Amino acid sequence: MQSEVNQEENLNRIITVPNLLSFFRLCLIPVIIWSYCVKKNPLLAGEILLLSGLTDLADGYIARRFHRISNLGKILDPVADKLTQAAMLICLFTRFPHMLLLIVIMAGKELYMVVSGCLVIRKTGKVHGADWHGKIVTFLLYGTAAVHIIWFHITPMVSDLLIGLCAIMMVISVALYIIQNTRTLKGETV
């Protein structure tokens, strides 16, 4: 009984180290945009993006390892991820027009996730975290961005290949989320 009370208290916490790290990542977004678009320093933007990625790993590790998973964190962490990814893709779009494909898919996926996520929360009362395929998409997006930032004169073929791979995985991921959320909304066990 005591452990259930502690778990419930953790879920309702607002100020936790993982949540502070997610908030820090949100604060890094304008710095990434400024570095890439205003200062025209992709390497600096890449270093800040790396810092953002490391804090993302740290907040996830700390939340799981030290039982600091919170409902706010379940929302704040993916919001920080998605806004960072969107900013990064928009910055890269200024040099690589095919990034528009990823921006469009991401916008559609996230719109669906917000609407269906709210419906699932309303039905179940639970906030669900990212699944394995969502984590793969995040890894691919960061990897694609890193390659485009580091390899300043990337060949169009390699660029398109990476963008295509991300696009395919994003579509697979949204399809799997649609299946999962539809089952949850129908009351089926997932």
Side-chain angles (χ1 to χ4, degrees), residues 15-77:
I15 299 178
T16 66
V17 171
N19 290 352
L20 291 173
L21 288 171
S22 292
F23 180 73
F24 176 69
R25 285 183 12 243
L26 287 171
C27 294
L28 289 177
I29 293 169
V31 181
I32 293 169
I33 295 168
W34 174 80
S35 300
Y36 194 90
C37 296
V38 177
K39 285 298 271 184
K40 307 281 189 215
N41 189 338
L43 197 53
L44 177 60
E47 290 168 351
I48 297 165
L49 187 60
L50 177 62
L51 175 62
S52 178
L54 291 173
T55 59
D56 185 22
L57 291 174
D59 91 44
Y61 174 78
I62 292 167
R64 285 184 295 280
R65 174 76 170 89
F66 299 102
H67 309 288
R68 292 292 180 237
I69 295 172
S70 68
N71 285 329
L72 177 62
K74 288 180 185 179
I75 295 168
L76 193 59
D77 178 63

Side-chain angles (χ1 to χ4, degrees), residues 15-16 20 30 33 35 50-51 57 59 61 69 77 80 92-93 97 107 109-110 113 115 140 148-149 151 155 161 183:
I15 299 178
T16 66
L20 291 173
I33 295 168
S35 300
L50 177 62
L51 175 62
L57 291 174
D59 91 44
Y61 174 78
I69 295 172
D77 178 63
L92 289 171
F93 174 68
K109 175 182 180 275
E110 295 312 315
M113 294 302 290
V115 172
L140 287 174
H148 281 82
I149 289 169
W151 187 2
T155 64
L161 180 67
R183 287 181 178 166

Side-chain angles (χ1 to χ4, degrees), residues 126-142:
K126 295 181 181 173
V127 178
H128 296 282
D131 282 341
W132 64 269
H133 46 87
K135 293 179 187 296
I136 290 174
V137 168
T138 297
F139 175 79
L140 287 174
L141 282 170
Y142 280 112

Side-chain angles (χ1 to χ4, degrees), residues 155-169:
T155 64
M157 184 179 77
V158 174
S159 175
D160 290 345
L161 180 67
L162 290 172
I163 291 169
L165 180 62
C166 278
I168 290 167
M169 192 61 216

